Amino acid sequence: MKADRHAKIVIIGAGAIGCAIAYHLARQGERDVLVLEKAQVTHGSTWHAAGLVGQLRGKRSLTRLMQNSVAVFDRLAGESGMATDWKKVGSLRLAASDARWSEIRRSVQLAKSFGFEAHLVSPDEARRMFPHIDPKGVVGAAWIPTDGYIDPYAVTMAFASSARKGGVRIEEGVTVTGIVVKGRRALGVVTDHGTISADVVVNAAGYWARRVGAMAGVPVAAGVVEHQYFVTEKGLDVPDNLTTLRDPDHNFYLKPEVGGSWAIGGWEEGTRALWNQWAPFDFARELFPANMDRLELFALPAAERLPVLNDIGIKTVINGPIPVSADGEPIMGLAPELDNFYLACGFTAGIAASGGAGEAMANWILHGDPGLDLWPFDARRFGVPHARASWLAARAAEAYAAYYKVHWPGEEHHAGRGLRRSPLYEPLRAAGAVFGARFGWERANWFKSSDATATDTPSFEDKPGWHAAVAAEVRAIREGVALIDQTSFSKFELSGPGAQAALNRIAAADIAGDPGRAIYTQLLNDKGGIEADLTILHRGDEDFLIVTGSGFGVRDANWITRQLPEGMGLRDVTNAHVVLNICGPMARTVLSSLTDADLSNGAFPFLSAREIVVGHAPAYAVRVGYVGELGWELYIPTEYAAHVYETLKAAGAAAGIRDVGYRAIESCRLEKGYLYWSADITPETTPYEAGLGFAVAMGKGDFTGRKALEAADKPKRKLVTLTVEGFAPFLSGETVLYDGKPVASLTSAGYGHHLGKTIGFAYLPAELAGEQGFTIEAFGTPYAATRGPRCLYDAKMERLKA
């Protein structure tokens, strides 16, 4: 690229996130950093943000990121020599419903497993901490002493000042108008003040991030909507150490302001999605007129909780644009389309996250690793469908309004539904399917036909409404024969000379060998951590089909692509194949009646794969499955899907064949001890810790992660299976105690319908992994747990290999 000048790292956007990234880069010694801001520092959503800081999230690593922010805020004023108005006054979150109280108690339980300080307090204690509240209807509250609030403008200026002291250049009034891309690299940026080549480009452009991403050919699922809050008149009796307050059941948050006033905002229904998700570049330090109809949706409930609001007026209403991603969480990391273009956008709570997010991004840029498992924030959780304007607008508005709603276990989105449908969608709907969604695909969670009394009603502490229906579906899998539509699997072809050798260097398992096999494997990083967990189908000489989870396709394909030799690439064939899983002890009998292929165990053993004919249609049959039962996954060309489904249903009628959904799969995989990537295994866990050493071929030669595994000491922790007789309200994340002390938390959990046990997985310290006497705490109740074998069902694989 012919450019007027060069910078090693160019950051687009000087809001809180962009300046925090620059600050952390400088702190790690990186001097050649240029921040470009089209207006002035903080001009975007930063300057009008409320500035609340809350840390507790649903996963340890995400809580750690927010804790890292607080650690930065604790030191930033001293480092920069600038006041940040950081007030570590704590936060109080009220529960005014039984459902909210369950949610809050669960959050505090998670905090205990994280080693994070959080407390449950009574309504009277809550009122003592915040005397203005009317405690009517309050069931309890959570108190987090290290939360607080900070001035958004001041903290961003402090980041900028410290970054400049470290050698970073920040240029205001410079608009990026284009990004030059060649192959898989961004070569630099074009601005209204000339061209700048770069080794790394970072998109931290706030609610302009989607436009900036499009310049580089990168779809970004960061939307933009209106958000309002108001500031009361002064004169309230507000002590300097008054805590912040959140009352999600009344849909408002509150932080004290200077001079005895409060800033109060909420997350109301009906917010306006803006500019067709294409924010104009000439919009900077501007606001919209107040929308009083929407303001009432949180102002009136706030006045019910805080009667003093009826006696004071509103001084100012702040109504401005804020970024909201397609699922309400930030978008971070390397864009999958390019090798040097990073995303740090979609931050609805950008001020609170800025310190930790800036540190993670600096680590990612300089070391290739954020230092935390940030999959829930990872850019690769989204794909092209999520960035389309109309879909994004609907989903962003829903995510905004859901911010303070009760987040039920197993809840589903409602906006943007019906986007991707299997050819079997209509037959399954007619059969009573209750659908959920994953990566835009409609998938059957369970079937009304399995139990006429079942409802799609989630629960925290009781059995969910679908419990009996799932029990019937599990029974069909374990005792009869079942069909599962798994078309949403992400599928990629790799073929041509060198394909086998390339996969053997990338995968931990041995890919060498003859065609006709299914190979279960992990893909490891240089530290030996598990970046992906998938199946490779060896169809022919140098011809492979790679199959992974619906939501992991972008991530896993990106991980593989970055390691392929030049000139070799994956082909996404997800939409070309319907996947129909026939499973259960009667599966062979039913399938054999429709094919002339020999399906006997000798002719078609476990992990075999070959072309067969089902009815009149071709299918690539793979003897594998995620439920731990005899069965075949049938990869069927899309146009034949309905024929194969109808033929199997007719042939299996006498055996009581049943359609089953993903909730039954979850129950069965827990019984079988099968693991789920992003919960039980992550980039921070190794195969040996997870009991997956059988899938690692150390004798095959070099592969990614091998050196780390060779150099590693004996694992210091081990994944074990813990059970409780009967039903217990385990949802994952519950604290595991030994001798009354927290030693682990459940990575995933649920009810095993066939075994009649509640099952959870946990990483225990190696010295405790063989012990008994564990307790699992959920919603304040301790449950005696038994450490069982890793595989509770068919441990000898006799049924699976029958």
Side-chain angles (χ1 to χ4, degrees), residues 705-778:
R706 178 195 172 93
K707 291 180 181 177
L709 296 183
E710 282 182 325
D713 296 326
K714 192 174 181 180
K716 293 182 174 59
R717 59 178 183 164
K718 182 179 180 181
L719 188 68
V720 303
T721 303
L722 299 167
T723 63
V724 171
E725 293 297 323
F727 177 83
F730 297 170
L731 304 168
S732 85
E734 289 77 15
T735 306
V736 180
L737 300 104
Y738 184 75
D739 283 345
K741 297 178 181 178
V743 293
S745 58
L746 299 185
T747 57
S748 59
Y751 187 67
H753 285 272
H754 178 73
L755 298 178
K757 301 174 187 286
T758 302
I759 303 166
F761 302 147
Y763 284 94
L764 293 178
E767 63 272 18
L768 297 180
E771 299 295 325
Q772 292 289 358
F774 295 97
T775 300
I776 300 174
E777 193 172 298

Side-chain angles (χ1 to χ4, degrees), residues 268-285:
E268 74 284 0
E269 294 278 358
T271 188
R272 188 163 64 108
L274 298 169
W275 300 306
N276 197 31
Q277 308 305 292
W278 200 253
F281 282 148
D282 59 359
F283 191 95
R285 194 180 168 96

Side-chain angles (χ1 to χ4, degrees), residues 622-640:
V622 185
R623 195 170 161 195
V624 72
Y626 199 43
V627 296
E629 203 68 61
L630 172 68
W632 283 262
E633 289 176 356
L634 303 176
Y635 290 76
I636 308 159
T638 300
E639 65 271 26
Y640 297 112

